[in-house]
Amino acid sequence: MTSDIPTFPIPRAHPFQPPELNAKLLRENPTTEVRLFDGSKAWLITKHKDICEALDDPALSADRRAPGYPEIHAGGAKAKEAIPTFVNIDEPDHSRQRSMLDDAFDRPAVDKMRPMMQAVVDKVLNQMVRKYNDNGKQPIDLIEEFASPVPTQIIYNLLGIPQKDVERLSKDSDVRTGTSRDAAERANEKLNEYIGGLVEERVKEPKDDLVSKLVKEQYNKGNLSRDEVVTLSFLVLTAGNAALTNSIGMGVMTLLDHPDQLDEFKEDSHTLAPQVVNELLRFNTASALNSRRATKEDVEIGGKRITKGSGVICAVQAGDRDPDKTPHPDKFDIHRKYAKEDLLAFGYGPHRCQAEYLSRVQLEIAFTSLLKKLPNLKMATRVEDLEHTPATQNMGPLNLPVTLD
Ligand code: HEM
């Protein structure tokens, strides 16, 4: 096998920074072929404008079963066998299914959830502080105690999972990263079974939660089968947790690494929160591997002809640092003027993240509350000593020991 072209995922020389090769590709070869784990090839798109065009092009399929769809590790074959959700189907079925969840994630629905999100963040923060004090103020892991439980508990509340089950199930969600694929699969099976039981309960007695909404509006009207309700609920449960955990972990590291901007943020956190979150998402793009497609016909992207049945990987992490879009892209700057739609961290086009607003609000509440309660938060170890996700997963720390005062 020739090694003339880069492998994808591109190894990260620094585990918490995008691969250095991204900048070189953006300069010299923005649409380029890469080699995948199984020896096959795919096209990697790095320029912001080309990524937007590609992700908006109906000639590109999000269906994992489409010929050429680029898998990035051996586990991907299993995903092809699962019942696809709208994440991995094309129009018109994509829009039909996605719209079933639209009003659960729109602005009014998310704004209504703000008190619930604040309550979860406050509770988790209080528990962390208590544990820290009880342990004689030894460094405490911010991922385990904050970045992971906050998004998990919020999504459990949204789905309507009873409080008594939340802690037990959260432990299963913790196997999201860093553990063996077998352990993750077993945990997923357990969660799936649990959701199956919850759907049965809500069929008998609907409540005011997302699972009940799907039961009342879709299952009872014959639009979705019981299994499809389970699959969609499971999607909501798992779709964004790792991205949020990584975004909180990377966000805290980035802010601590820029003390002047951190101080400014602390002083006026209410006003600055939206732009700080946007810049953190741009700078880190902890969702670098999600936007993959297969060509349904011959297309041209970034001046290159890509034949039908080819894999296309939209390197949103590179696009978020394209100097033609963002001057001095490697500089973290909370004062950038950047239109929210231009951020690629949530993808682009019809498959753009449905929970973007929910995620933005959640991150705003998480960062502002954390820094308000713990203004003296500090890292208790060197960045080089942190465990991190492998290149086949989105970028993030697996542990983040901190002191709180
Ligand atoms: C910081 C947090 C998050 C980031 C960075 C993120 C990122 C992304 C990206 C890049 C995509 C596009 C994938 C593609 O192009 O194929 C996407 C789609 C999606 N995300 Fe998120 N996500 C986040 C949180 C969430 C959460 C919390 C949920 C669920 C509650 C969620 C649900 C979805 C769904 C359902 C889609 C598929 C939309 C479609 O195919 O129409 N995401 N997300």
Side-chain angles (χ1 to χ4, degrees):
M1 189 194 301
T2 53
S3 56
D4 50 334
I5 58 175
T7 55
F8 190 90
I10 301 169
R12 300 188 290 263
H14 187 298
F16 303 115
Q17 279 162 28
E20 284 167 357
L21 188 60
N22 284 1
K24 186 169 148 65
L25 290 175
L26 272 161
R27 271 194 317 271
E28 295 171 8
N29 199 4
T31 296
T32 190
E33 280 190 300
V34 289
R35 180 91 53 198
L36 304 177
F37 75 100
D38 59 358
S40 62
K41 285 185 189 173
W43 287 90
L44 186 72
I45 320 290
T46 55
K47 277 224 90 57
H48 190 285
K49 76 170 178 40
D50 297 337
I51 291 174
C52 295
E53 254 171 51
L55 291 177
D56 224 6
D57 186 345
L60 269 65
S61 172
D63 192 333
R64 289 180 97 147
R65 298 159 305 180
Y69 186 94
E71 294 297 344
I72 54 173
H73 54 66
K78 207 150 180 97
K80 285 190 203 292
E81 295 161 14
I83 311 178
T85 60
F86 63 94
V87 181
N88 292 112
I89 50 181
D90 299 330
E91 303 308 343
D93 291 340
H94 164 260
S95 289
R96 190 184 63 84
Q97 217 184 73
R98 178 174 165 128
S99 65
M100 293 176 182
L101 291 175
D102 270 348
D103 56 2
F105 290 109
D106 63 13
R107 288 180 88 93
V110 172
D111 285 337
K112 226 170 109 188
M113 279 186 253
R114 280 177 186 268
M116 178 274 279
M117 292 196 254
Q118 185 68 60
V120 168
V121 168
D122 290 344
K123 189 185 86 185
V124 171
L125 269 176
N126 286 337
Q127 281 171 346
M128 176 170 75
V129 171
R130 203 170 315 123
K131 192 165 171 184
Y132 178 72
N133 289 334
D134 288 352
N135 284 343
K137 305 198 170 189
Q138 291 298 311
I140 190 161
D141 181 6
L142 194 83
I143 301 298
E144 192 181 338
E145 306 298 336
F146 186 73
S148 174
V150 164
T152 308
Q153 296 192 19
I154 287 174
I155 212 68
Y156 283 7
N157 286 346
L158 168 69
L159 278 168
I161 294 176
Q163 204 53 40
K164 68 177 173 49
D165 297 331
V166 166
E167 294 238 327
R168 177 171 58 85
L169 291 169
S170 306
K171 296 226 160 44
D172 287 339
S173 308
D174 281 349
V175 283
R176 55 177 192 99
T177 44
T179 40
S180 73
R181 283 201 188 281
D182 279 359
E185 266 170 32
R186 272 197 307 280
N188 271 349
E189 276 166 23
K190 264 168 64 185
L191 272 180
N192 222 344
E193 262 172 42
Y194 177 89
I195 295 291
L198 190 71
V199 171
E200 296 294 337
E201 278 176 35
R202 296 299 187 263
V203 168
K204 284 189 214 119
E205 196 187 332
K207 294 193 173 177
D208 184 23
D209 55 46
L210 187 54
V211 173
S212 304
K213 178 183 160 65
L214 288 172
V215 166
K216 284 187 281 192
E217 293 174 9
Q218 309 301 337
Y219 173 79
N220 289 349
K221 292 184 182 163
N223 298 334
L224 288 179
S225 68
R226 177 206 167 274
D227 284 355
E228 285 170 328
V229 174
V230 174
T231 307
L232 267 191
S233 306
F234 187 72
L235 166 72
V236 172
L237 184 72
T238 51
N241 269 11
L244 279 164
T245 299
N246 287 334
S247 298
I248 295 173
M250 290 297 312
V252 169
M253 284 168 64
T254 306
L255 288 168
L256 292 177
D257 200 30
H258 295 83
D260 293 348
Q261 296 189 63
L262 174 63
D263 283 347
E264 211 183 321
F265 180 33
K266 278 189 212 158
E267 283 198 356
D268 192 8
S269 62
H270 190 68
T271 318
L272 290 175
Q275 66 201 65
V276 169
V277 164
N278 203 69
E279 177 64 353
L280 285 172
L281 286 162
R282 183 200 70 80
F283 192 69
N284 294 318
T285 310
S287 52
L289 308 173
N290 298 20
S291 297
R292 289 174 279 135
R293 302 289 186 266
T295 49
K296 292 195 273 191
E297 49 192 78
D298 292 0
V299 292
E300 198 179 298
I301 306 176
K304 299 260 170 85
R305 185 144 192 84
I306 301 183
T307 52
K308 177 179 171 179
S310 304
V312 172
I313 300 168
C314 293
V316 290
Q317 198 174 34
D320 272 340
R321 293 205 186 196
D322 179 350
D324 286 344
K325 186 75 201 169
T326 313
H328 310 292
D330 296 329
K331 187 168 174 254
F332 176 71
D333 177 2
I334 60 173
H335 295 294
R336 279 182 197 283
K337 302 275 175 274
Y338 201 82
K340 287 203 167 70
E341 316 76 77
D342 286 347
L343 180 75
L344 294 181
F346 289 109
Y348 193 85
H351 286 274
R352 187 171 179 125
C353 183
Q354 198 174 22
E356 172 170 353
Y357 185 59
L358 172 83
S359 303
R360 285 181 184 275
V361 171
Q362 193 173 145
L363 291 171
E364 287 171 23
I365 295 176
F367 291 126
T368 48
S369 307
L370 178 75
L371 295 171
K372 189 161 179 226
K373 188 163 179 82
L374 303 168
N376 297 320
L377 184 79
K378 279 188 198 61
M379 289 215 6
T381 184
R382 296 180 319 158
V383 170
E384 305 83 271
D385 296 333
L386 295 174
E387 290 171 55
H388 55 85
T389 52
T392 48
Q393 288 171 9
N394 288 318
M395 189 167 89
L398 292 176
N399 65 336
L400 192 53
V402 288
T403 52
L404 307 188
D405 54 13

